[in-house]
Amino acid sequence: MSLHLPKLDTDPQAPFPPVETALQRPDGLLAFGGDLSVPRLCNAYRHGVFPWFSEGQPILWWSPDPRTVFETAQLRPNRRLARALRGSHWTLRADTAFAEVVAACAVAPRPGQDGTWITADMQAAYVGMHAAGHAHSVEVFDGTRLVGGIYGVAIGRMFFGESMFSGTTGGSKAALLGLAAQMRDWDMPLIDAQVENPHLSRLGATNWPRPRFIEAVQALVDRPPPVTGSWSEGFGSRPASDLGSAR
């Protein structure tokens, strides 16, 4: 590991290095070490930092510039997807199959990637965050079969997306749209999507300069959350067909 990359203190509440000190190549690499405990992860997300590393690597922490985001007010289905959703029999729920969504994301094939960053340790860490009420999932069901989902971390009125998957075509899009619809109802304006890729761009993600993103995060994480603990009751069971009318 480069001597120019800071190693995190053993105290999970210790401050992260300033995000402005992150490397430009690779973009956003900020620090290494530490752990994946609930206090450490909450500390990271509150400051616009997230873990991302592969099996066999140390824990690596990132804050890229620019930052890819979805604005929930702008996230709507295109005409083709809206038509498909209106004819769908899927239902959406939240926090009823969190571990299953994370596991499905870990094995989902992704163009240009060999293997997964959602290692067993990462899965265990986010299941721990979920148990502590900080991580949430939106799930898409066809009957009792899980066909799509998204998961991430919510602090205050900010949602930090981690990953999503489709078991059936359109499943991840329905999960993302369902998440955005609920967030609009809860006055949560922003979903962090971390790093740009063509798929996210096609879905409507945009890139914000890191200073703008960090400023927004600092304001949103300090606002009271719309609900505490599980999102299951507040989200309810929603027909995916309703998302086809959200234009």
Side-chain angles (χ1 to χ4, degrees), residues 51-240:
W52 186 25
F53 60 98
S54 299
E55 193 73 54
Q57 291 182 324
I59 300 173
L60 302 176
W61 301 90
W62 303 76
S63 184
D65 186 13
R67 192 68 162 246
T68 302
V69 300
F70 290 104
E71 297 178 67
T72 59
Q74 307 300 323
L75 196 51
R76 299 290 198 280
N78 61 32
R79 189 167 301 173
R80 180 179 179 182
L81 179 57
R83 185 167 57 249
L85 288 171
R86 285 195 296 270
S88 169
H89 298 291
W90 294 347
T91 57
L92 284 79
R93 297 195 285 272
D95 285 351
T96 66
F98 182 88
E100 292 89 339
V101 169
V102 176
C105 289
V107 298
R110 304 184 192 278
Q113 293 185 6
D114 182 18
T116 181
W117 75 95
I118 309 174
T119 63
D121 286 346
M122 286 282 270
Q123 292 187 53
Y126 286 92
V127 168
M129 286 283 281
H130 174 66
H134 303 301
H136 305 279
S137 60
V138 171
E139 309 112 15
V140 183
F141 290 93
D142 184 354
T144 60
R145 185 167 67 95
L146 184 66
V147 296
I150 185 171
Y151 77 96
V153 172
I155 300 177
R157 297 294 173 110
M158 180 70 199
F159 189 86
F160 302 89
E162 274 297 313
S163 190
M164 54 186 175
F165 85 98
S166 287
T168 299
T169 300
S172 64
K173 295 177 183 178
L176 176 63
L177 290 167
L179 170 65
Q182 182 62 71
M183 288 179 61
R184 287 193 295 271
D185 290 347
W186 283 343
D187 190 23
M188 298 176 69
L190 204 60
I191 300 172
D192 174 28
Q194 299 181 347
V195 180
E196 181 182 25
N197 65 46
H199 179 62
L200 295 176
S201 298
R202 286 192 295 270
L203 292 175
T206 57
N207 289 331
W208 283 15
R210 183 168 56 209
R212 179 187 179 190
F213 174 78
I214 295 297
E215 182 180 10
V217 166
Q218 288 173 343
L220 290 169
V221 298
D222 285 335
R223 293 180 59 193
V227 295
T228 57
S230 174
W231 282 9
S232 180
E233 183 176 350
F235 190 96
S237 180
R238 300 181 170 205

